[in-house]
Amino acid sequence: MMMDPKMMDLNGSYNNSDPYGDDYMAQEEEWEREGLLDPAWEKQQKKTFTAWCNSHLRKAATGIENIDEDFRNGLKLMLLLEVISGEQLPKPDRGKMRFHKIANVNKALDFIASKGVKLVSIGAEEIVDGNLKMTLGMIWTIILRFAIQDISVEEMSAKEGLLLWCQRKTAPYKNCNVQNFHMSFKDGLAFCALIHRHRPDLLDYHKLSKNDPLYNLNLAFDIAEKYLDIPRMLDAEDMINLVRPDEKSVMTYVSAYYQAFAGVQKAETAADQTLVLCRRPGPTRPTPSCCLLLPPPAHAC
């Protein structure tokens, strides 16, 4: 399969230059240093990425408990990719020897690479050996490719598009100024604003206080899980206690809000446009077939 010359980097942006160039490697080295220096980064990502994986694996009636253990033989990793892509991967090796596991993980990595993602410094051996940092890096690239890359808002894409969507949706709300995917979400108001903007029946934003972040975060997480089918991917205590919440974890969770709300909004917009077309007066305009299902208004088309 022909590789896309525009490769997606680990921050969710496109690099139109050489994907193996200095900028790409610098981002990868920075990611590695963050992992070595901040154990809390690793802890939060492990929780979030596990929940994200399970939100898809449940569609295949399975799941994982330990992200650094349950992908080691490659079987659930291949299944995860099949579920989120809707495509079929090569038949997995069913043996239990190390080389069988490596073969399966390589099939998964090859599939990821075929989608235009370069996995820098991540090999099948590290995944089979249960290297947590490398496993998290691999899952992050999968999240970027399948949950964030296709987000497009006003000609902005991926990470920038998701941030712009959050800014547009939360702009009218007091004490809510979204500038990033870490500190801007720390007090929970941004999550609550996103919910209220789309489902005002679920919470009263104007009764919330910036000084009660624990309540705000738990309220948003509980409502999203109960009414929006968005799994709880973050812990309120972690968001509060961390000096700076992990950007990748927050972005992963926010992308689930986008997927939940943007699809509904597009469907409603399309329906509104169809209704306007149906009811627009004009003697020579043919009646769209969809309008035949609508009750005839006073000024039917």
Side-chain angles (χ1 to χ4, degrees):
M1 180 178 294
M2 184 71 68
M3 292 288 289
D4 188 341
K6 290 176 20 176
M7 303 291 289
M8 185 171 61
D9 63 33
L10 290 173
N11 287 318
S13 303
Y14 278 111
N15 181 1
N16 291 313
S17 60
D18 181 2
Y20 305 96
D22 294 338
D23 291 342
Y24 191 94
M25 293 304 295
Q27 289 163 355
E28 173 69 11
E29 290 168 2
E30 180 181 355
W31 164 68
E32 289 188 359
R33 286 198 301 271
E34 288 178 2
L36 292 172
L37 293 174
D38 190 359
W41 164 90
E42 188 176 89
K43 176 184 176 184
Q44 190 172 31
Q45 284 196 10
K46 185 175 182 180
K47 291 179 181 178
T48 301
F49 292 179
T50 298
W52 184 86
C53 290
N54 282 331
S55 71
H56 294 282
L57 286 172
R58 67 182 180 180
K59 300 171 187 176
T62 188
I64 61 170
E65 294 183 4
N66 298 308
I67 199 168
D68 50 332
E69 292 289 331
D70 294 346
F71 287 137
R72 291 180 63 181
N73 63 10
L75 296 177
K76 287 189 177 180
L77 178 59
M78 295 179 69
L79 180 60
L80 173 66
L81 290 170
E82 289 187 336
V83 170
I84 62 179
S85 70
E87 300 179 30
Q88 188 171 1
L89 273 68
K91 186 177 180 180
D93 291 15
R94 292 293 177 178
K96 296 183 179 181
M97 302 293 290
R98 177 177 171 82
F99 73 88
H100 292 124
K101 299 176 182 179
I102 291 176
N104 288 334
V105 174
N106 270 324
K107 291 174 184 177
L109 297 183
D110 288 344
F111 179 80
I112 297 171
S114 75
K115 299 302 180 181
V117 180
K118 180 65 177 179
L119 291 167
V120 181
S121 303
I122 300 176
E125 291 79 5
E126 286 80 12
I127 306 303
V128 172
D129 290 339
N131 185 312
L132 177 58
K133 183 162 68 70
M134 292 301 166
T135 301
L136 292 175
M138 176 189 64
I139 297 301
W140 171 238
T141 61
I142 293 174
I143 293 171
L144 279 178
R145 174 58 185 84
F146 293 99
I148 298 176
Q149 175 184 322
D150 293 334
I151 292 174
S152 179
V153 180
E154 297 181 16
E155 299 184 357
M156 304 290 283
S157 61
K159 175 183 176 182
E160 290 78 12
L162 183 60
L163 182 61
L164 181 60
W165 178 78
C166 292
Q167 292 170 338
R168 292 285 186 268
K169 296 300 181 180
T170 60
Y173 291 86
K174 183 179 179 181
N175 295 324
C176 189
N177 182 22
V178 177
Q179 297 298 321
N180 52 58
F181 289 108
H182 38 84
M183 301 304 293
S184 295
F185 286 86
K186 190 174 171 66
D187 62 15
L189 289 180
F191 294 118
C192 292
L194 288 173
I195 293 174
H196 186 268
R197 183 64 182 269
H198 297 90
R199 290 290 306 274
D201 56 307
L202 294 180
L203 61 83
D204 188 348
Y205 180 88
H206 304 291
K207 290 184 178 180
L208 303 178
S209 170
K210 189 178 182 67
N211 298 321
D212 196 354
L214 184 63
Y215 176 80
N216 300 337
L217 289 163
N218 278 319
L219 177 66
F221 298 165
D222 288 344
I223 288 176
E225 184 173 39
K226 183 175 181 180
Y227 297 102
L228 305 175
D229 198 29
I230 299 175
R232 179 184 282 258
M233 300 183 191
L234 300 171
D235 283 345
E237 292 77 9
D238 289 341
M239 292 289 293
I240 293 172
N241 294 332
L242 287 172
V243 175
R244 171 175 161 159
D246 176 66
E247 181 183 56
K248 297 178 180 65
S249 298
V250 175
M251 198 188 312
T252 299
Y253 184 57
V254 173
S255 72
Y257 280 62
Y258 177 87
Q259 300 298 338
F261 292 133
V264 173
Q265 182 175 351
K266 289 178 181 178
E268 291 176 349
T269 300
D272 291 342
Q273 291 174 344
T274 300
L275 187 60
V276 169
L277 177 63
C278 291
R279 296 185 174 181
R280 184 180 301 167
T284 61
R285 181 181 299 276
T287 302
S289 59
C290 60
C291 294
L292 299 177
L293 302 177
L294 298 172
H299 53 288
C301 56

